[in-house]
Amino acid sequence: MSGIEDLMAESNDRWGKATRLAQGIADNGLGTAMKVYYLLYFPIGIVVLIPLGATAGALAFGHSWMNLQNLRFGMIIAAVGVLVVGLIYNAKKVAPAANIGSVSVLMPLESHEQKQVRRQISGKSPVEAKHLEVTHGVAVQQRKNAATQLVIISSLQLAFIAQALPESSSIWWLMAYLVFFNFVAIAVLMHEFRQPGRFLVNTADQASEQSI
């Protein structure tokens, strides 16, 4: 029996450490912050910077106004501009919208325990009430990481599209593949952002009852 008791004690110790790491972690409006970025800042950046960049390209390189290279240059300028704006927005709005702590909540747990937590967040396993604080902490950290990656990867898509325009370069066809794979990556990140959000909403009542 001592062997089983030792294993249980070690397991409880790991979950206890994870619980302490999860304390104070909370989503304080990541969904709203991302909606504002994608409905306001991102489209405005594209609409404003692409024409400005295309005009600058035509004036700087002496291209005719209808030259496709102007559009390519404008999209590259827009990609750089949107990336800069995105990084600033991430630091000023996205990061403060969540308290994620300084260490991964999953760190003290063993691999099978980490997998168990992720399956609960994805809805593939029943939620364990006794470890809900840990699972909530992991969900918030996953959601915040996905949000930051989305802000960055969206700007890269503009640069890839610019390089994928016909006659933009000798490897434009390869860049076209990158555009496709980047779209897939964006779709995956959007799923990884929304899934923890749904979990947090669906288990909010349970978390409130435990905190009382």
Side-chain angles (χ1 to χ4, degrees), residues 138-162:
V138 174
V140 174
Q141 289 183 336
Q142 287 183 350
R143 189 163 159 83
K144 168 57 176 63
N145 291 338
T148 298
Q149 292 179 62
L150 275 170
V151 169
I152 295 173
I153 201 172
S154 299
S155 62
L156 295 179
Q157 187 71 325
L158 290 172
F160 290 154
I161 293 175

Side-chain angles (χ1 to χ4, degrees), residues 42-57:
F42 187 75
I44 287 179
I46 293 176
V47 170
V48 172
L49 292 175
I50 289 181
L52 286 178
T55 301

Side-chain angles (χ1 to χ4, degrees), residues 12-23:
N12 291 335
D13 182 58
R14 290 193 300 272
W15 284 103
K17 290 178 180 178
T19 300
R20 288 191 290 274
L21 288 174
Q23 290 176 353

Side-chain angles (χ1 to χ4, degrees), residues 107-181:
M107 189 181 69
L109 303 179
E110 293 188 349
S111 58
H112 71 279
E113 294 167 331
Q114 295 178 7
K115 183 177 180 181
Q116 176 185 348
V117 170
R118 294 192 181 99
R119 286 181 63 85
Q120 290 178 55
I121 295 173
S122 65
K124 296 178 181 178
S125 294
V127 176
E128 296 184 9
K130 63 179 179 179
H131 297 146
L132 187 57
E133 186 172 5
V134 172
T135 316
H136 262 225
V138 174
V140 174
Q141 289 183 336
Q142 287 183 350
R143 189 163 159 83
K144 168 57 176 63
N145 291 338
T148 298
Q149 292 179 62
L150 275 170
V151 169
I152 295 173
I153 201 172
S154 299
S155 62
L156 295 179
Q157 187 71 325
L158 290 172
F160 290 154
I161 293 175
Q163 297 295 327
L165 293 175
E167 301 180 3
S168 60
S169 68
S170 59
I171 57 169
W172 67 268
W173 54 272
L174 178 60
M175 301 308 295
Y177 281 109
L178 286 178
V179 169
F180 170 75
F181 288 120

Side-chain angles (χ1 to χ4, degrees), residues 1 47 56 85 97-98 106 148 161 188 190 194 210:
M1 290 295 293
V47 170
V85 171
L106 289 174
T148 298
I161 293 175
V188 170
M190 290 179 66
R194 290 172 176 168
Q210 289 189 359

